[in-house]
Amino acid sequence: MRRLMLSIPVLALSAATAFAQAPAAKTAAKPAAAAQAAAGAKAPLVEFEMMTWPEVKAALEAGKTTALVYTGGTEQRGPQNVNGGHTLMGREIVKRIALKLGNAIALPVLPYTPNNASATLPGTIGLTPEILGVVLERISEEAIKTGFKNVILMGDHGGGQPTTYAEVAKKLDAKYAPQGIHVYFCDEVYAKAQGDFEDWLVKNGYPRSSHAGIPDTSTMLYLGGDKGWVRKELIPTAEGDPVPPRGAPGQGRGRGPADPNAPPRKNNGISGDARRSSAALGKQAFDIKIDYAVKQIQGFLASQPKATAQQ
């Protein structure tokens, strides 16, 4: 009995610990909604669209003066995942970031980002980078008029990153910094988090994947596996075109020179192999994104002159 009690695992792990240890891939992780409900505590309001204007005004006066502008996207995600995956994940990610920061409000997630529609894989509706730039600039300036002192641009889709987001942030920060108002581009929530998690997967024996592969499918299982975000019955066959190591010849996806020895393309919208996806891996990927974003945003705010920094 004593040995049994000593063997009870620790349930709360940080994102850094998740990297260091093998994931409980065979253990079902609680969906995010169920985990939050189990916590019992009512989370504070941090979603702009779910607040009334007096609630927004009170939040601003209480110090929640950082606006989080998060973009999702409408894009095919393989046969097993719904097309709105970027937006659905984005809503949960930005809400958790706002809660963890404690001084932020998440604006409505933009469901369109740079991409191109396709009749072959009809699940994508996209913008151009130029249109996205205009939209991001308008949203940011509207947030500033509303009373926010810091605006953070970030997204769940690679289209437009980093150029469009970085250029808008640089332009607006230069315009408003003399007033003590700042606009930043938080790139680590997507590029760094995705890259580091992919490296971790490969190091631990998982197949390399990107679009609609293990990271996407697992995160959608964790956040919305009980909401119909993933066609779970299709995961056992969710294998797509192989993803070569970084810098190696392409496998026919049109990114870099094609490998003449590569097998014929499956062309099912998956880049990699999603068959080993799990809610446990999804929680790990989700926690890493939150951790990276919060640390980077806190760094932005800490670097401001004391007279204008928003705590």
Side-chain angles (χ1 to χ4, degrees), residues 17-99:
T17 304
F19 266 124
Q21 298 183 3
K26 296 182 180 179
T27 302
K30 284 185 178 181
Q36 186 175 355
K42 184 177 179 181
L45 288 171
V46 293
E47 295 170 286
F48 192 90
E49 61 191 323
M50 299 303 294
M51 302 168 73
T52 65
W53 74 258
E55 290 168 343
V56 172
K57 187 175 180 65
L60 287 166
E61 291 172 350
K64 291 185 184 293
T65 53
T66 295
L68 306 180
V69 179
Y70 206 95
T71 63
T74 303
E75 178 184 34
Q76 68 79 16
R77 314 198 64 70
Q80 79 280 19
N81 300 321
V82 298
N83 298 327
H86 274 311
T87 303
L88 295 170
M89 290 186 286
R91 288 171 181 160
E92 297 297 328
I93 291 167
V94 73
K95 178 180 179 181
R96 186 67 63 85
I97 292 170
L99 287 169

Side-chain angles (χ1 to χ4, degrees), residues 258-269:
D259 182 354
N261 300 314
R265 288 189 61 192
K266 289 184 171 58
N267 200 31
N268 61 358

Side-chain angles (χ1 to χ4, degrees), residues 296-310:
Q296 187 177 23
I297 294 168
Q298 287 175 336
F300 290 149
L301 302 185
S303 68
Q304 294 178 5
K306 291 185 178 179
T308 60
Q310 301 300 312

Side-chain angles (χ1 to χ4, degrees), residues 271-286:
S271 295
D273 188 340
R275 291 176 295 178
R276 294 177 64 186
S277 300
S278 70
L281 284 173
K283 182 182 186 307
Q284 189 173 332
F286 178 78

Side-chain angles (χ1 to χ4, degrees), residues 12-234:
L13 297 176
S14 66
T17 304
F19 266 124
Q21 298 183 3
K26 296 182 180 179
T27 302
K30 284 185 178 181
Q36 186 175 355
K42 184 177 179 181
L45 288 171
V46 293
E47 295 170 286
F48 192 90
E49 61 191 323
M50 299 303 294
M51 302 168 73
T52 65
W53 74 258
E55 290 168 343
V56 172
K57 187 175 180 65
L60 287 166
E61 291 172 350
K64 291 185 184 293
T65 53
T66 295
L68 306 180
V69 179
Y70 206 95
T71 63
T74 303
E75 178 184 34
Q76 68 79 16
R77 314 198 64 70
Q80 79 280 19
N81 300 321
V82 298
N83 298 327
H86 274 311
T87 303
L88 295 170
M89 290 186 286
R91 288 171 181 160
E92 297 297 328
I93 291 167
V94 73
K95 178 180 179 181
R96 186 67 63 85
I97 292 170
L99 287 169
K100 196 164 183 180
L101 282 170
N103 65 343
I105 293 177
L107 299 191
V109 173
L110 184 68
Y112 299 107
T113 40
N115 219 320
N116 295 302
S118 166
T120 304
L121 301 171
T124 301
I125 302 294
L127 305 177
T128 64
E130 293 75 19
I131 292 174
L132 176 63
V134 172
V135 172
L136 289 177
E137 187 170 337
R138 171 68 177 182
I139 292 172
S140 298
E141 294 202 297
E142 286 289 284
I144 290 169
K145 289 179 183 178
T146 298
F148 291 99
K149 302 301 182 182
N150 299 293
V151 178
I152 313 295
L153 306 180
M154 48 189 162
D156 199 66
H157 177 253
Q161 295 195 50
T163 306
T164 303
Y165 296 75
E167 287 178 351
V168 171
K170 182 178 180 181
K171 175 183 176 180
L172 293 183
D173 193 67
K175 179 178 178 179
Y176 289 101
Q179 302 175 39
I181 297 169
H182 296 276
V183 181
Y184 304 102
F185 169 42
C186 172
D187 61 330
E188 294 191 3
V189 69
Y190 185 78
K192 181 174 172 56
Q194 294 275 93
D196 286 355
F197 185 56
E198 178 185 330
D199 289 344
W200 185 93
L201 287 171
V202 173
K203 187 182 295 185
N204 284 274
Y206 290 88
R208 189 177 296 277
S209 61
S210 55
H211 180 75
I214 288 177
D216 285 349
T217 305
S218 294
T219 303
M220 291 179 69
L221 277 172
Y222 170 59
L223 294 174
D226 57 348
K227 303 175 185 176
W229 295 11
V230 180
R231 309 297 183 250
K232 297 178 183 179
E233 71 277 7
L234 297 181

